[in-house]
Amino acid sequence: MHELGVATEIHRACRRTMESHGPGRIEEVRVAVGELSAVEPELLQFAWQAVTAGTPDEGSRLEVEWRPARQTCLKCGEVAERGAGSWLRLCPRCESPLRVEGGDELDILHLSFTPDDVQEPAP
Amino acid sequence: MNVQQRVLAANDEAAAELRRGFRADRMLVVNLISSPGSGKTSLLEATVRALTGRVRMAALDGDIATERDADRLRAAGIPAHQILTGGACHLDARQVRTALEQAGMGKPDILFIENVGNLICPTSYDLGEDFKVAVLSVTEGEDKPFKYPAIFSRSEVTVITKSDLLPHVPFKLDEARAQVAALNPTGRLFVTSATSGEGIREWCDLLMERLEGKRRA
Ligand SMILES: [Zn+2]
């Protein structure tokens, strides 16, 4: 389980971004997590609570946008249907090999924080 | 505010720097990832036996707590340095950089990085390698590729190990092949045995081919 390490990196990156804005605390961070990033959203949220506990960012929210990978057919190009977490061996229409696209995301998308001298979160 | 940043940007930068250094040195770097006990070290021992005298090899071995794998590879005759992760479930690029500075193993032609035994966590951490290798033994389930799609889709090469045991285990080789192909249609797959020697020559040929490619680049 490396969600703790990933949460630490997210926290560090957010803190670096905030540095130029003076002291403050994180309200919410939104991240994109791809299906192939080997990160479990729920574990990441637990890890976020653990990482921010005892810091000014304790109680902040980590929102996860889940980005599934797509299996596409090399021949008919269509996105093949599959259930969540299950994979197709061949294209159900033409039995051609499939390609896996996307699902690599592990990105910070949005950060909202409240500077210490202001009451409302920064946009 | 909107932020567009890779979570692992710090690791990615360290890996990019390593990759530039490896390119300047014309060193082929292979990152091997598997479950514990899948036979990575035995595969490397067989590789060292096959390639000794043709190329200089060295290894970095990631392990949570023991020096065993590096000991085995030193016994096989190549410089090997253990990276003790102190509990971490993967190697990161900064650990590799520090290890290379400390190890003093010169400039091998091929550097093997034996990652911590785990099919999940090492997947996201770029180490500056030329390619990743997913190692799967026939004593594991043939359904592992679909269970761990991240590593099998990102590894240019899959090596199936312990093929000498195929008659004695329920492992369905065709199913494993089909799953790897579905996740990674352009990937290469080798069926090997460090005991019988099956597939070792083909795997070594690939390493030599890639090393030549890197020297020409
Ligand atoms: Zn099709």
Side-chain angles (χ1 to χ4, degrees):
Chain A
M1 286 316 119
H2 64 263
E3 280 79 2
L4 203 57
V6 172
T8 305
E9 292 288 341
I10 295 172
H11 191 223
R12 226 180 258 157
C14 290
R15 277 277 143 198
R16 261 200 309 273
T17 305
M18 287 165 63
E19 257 168 28
S20 53
H21 299 267
R25 63 191 167 79
I26 297 174
E27 298 287 339
E28 184 186 282
V29 181
R30 200 159 70 238
V31 295
V33 171
E35 183 172 7
L36 297 178
S37 67
V39 168
E40 286 292 333
E42 282 186 17
L43 292 176
L44 186 61
Q45 281 165 331
F46 278 125
W48 178 257
Q49 288 171 18
V51 162
T52 54
T55 76
D57 306 318
E58 182 165 347
S60 60
R61 293 179 308 280
L62 182 73
E63 296 288 331
V64 175
E65 283 184 21
W66 181 247
R67 304 277 171 84
R70 296 178 304 280
Q71 278 188 299
T72 60
C73 173
L74 297 177
K75 213 179 222 163
C76 50
E78 285 205 11
V79 178
E81 291 299 324
R82 67 179 175 97
S86 73
W87 301 85
L88 299 167
R89 283 158 188 76
L90 293 169
C91 174
R93 295 178 70 196
C94 70
E95 303 208 328
S96 294
L98 299 169
R99 180 169 36 212
V100 173
E101 290 169 330
D104 280 324
E105 297 85 351
L106 191 53
D107 302 321
I108 303 168
L109 302 174
H110 195 267
L111 164 66
S112 49
F113 61 93
T114 308
D116 281 351
D117 52 352
V118 178
Q119 296 308 308
E120 293 300 307
Chain B
M1 68 175 81
N2 286 316
V3 184
Q4 268 301 338
Q5 195 192 332
R6 293 264 309 153
V7 169
L8 300 178
N11 186 76
D12 291 348
E13 280 161 32
E17 195 187 316
L18 281 174
R19 189 167 278 116
R20 281 192 291 275
F22 294 148
R23 191 183 305 134
D25 292 336
R26 301 280 192 266
M27 192 193 298
L28 182 73
V29 182
V30 182
N31 180 2
L32 297 109
I33 297 175
S34 76
S35 297
S38 66
K40 279 196 301 273
T41 309
S42 299
L43 172 70
L44 290 183
E45 286 171 327
T47 307
V48 168
R49 282 196 298 274
L51 292 180
T52 292
R54 292 169 68 191
V55 288
R56 288 165 303 152
M57 293 165 277
L60 296 178
D61 288 276
D63 201 299
I64 289 173
T66 80
E67 292 265 348
R68 227 174 30 231
D69 293 341
D71 287 345
R72 281 177 60 187
L73 292 172
R74 278 192 287 268
I78 65 169
H81 180 84
Q82 194 85 42
I83 303 175
L84 297 179
T85 63
C89 48
H90 60 269
L91 292 175
D92 65 44
R94 280 168 287 193
Q95 287 171 319
V96 169
R97 184 176 62 203
T98 305
L100 288 172
E101 286 163 5
Q102 289 172 352
M105 45 178 61
K107 292 193 174 18
D109 301 304
I110 304 179
L111 175 67
F112 298 107
I113 303 177
E114 207 181 325
N115 219 310
V116 179
N118 175 337
L119 278 174
I120 302 175
C121 308
T123 308
S124 308
Y125 291 82
D126 184 1
L127 303 180
E129 71 271 357
D130 288 274
F131 58 95
K132 290 181 172 60
V133 178
V135 181
L136 173 66
S137 78
V138 304
T139 54
E140 304 169 62
E142 69 277 344
D143 54 348
K144 274 207 167 164
F146 277 2
K147 278 192 184 152
Y148 301 94
I151 184 58
F152 289 95
S153 67
R154 289 176 189 181
S155 294
E156 185 181 319
V157 175
T158 297
V159 175
I160 293 181
T161 57
K162 308 186 189 179
S163 69
D164 57 294
L165 298 178
L166 273 173
H168 313 291
V169 293
F171 189 88
K172 296 190 202 75
L173 187 55
D174 287 346
E175 177 62 22
R177 275 185 195 282
Q179 293 195 2
V180 172
L183 293 168
N184 192 345
T186 57
R188 303 270 305 265
L189 185 141
F190 298 95
V191 178
T192 69
S193 163
T195 306
S196 74
E198 181 186 3
I200 299 297
R201 192 171 51 81
E202 290 79 0
W203 152 249
C204 289
D205 286 348
L206 171 88
L207 292 173
M208 294 304 290
E209 204 177 283
R210 291 297 307 261
L211 176 62
E212 290 309 319
K214 192 147 191 186
R215 284 173 169 165
R216 278 195 307 270

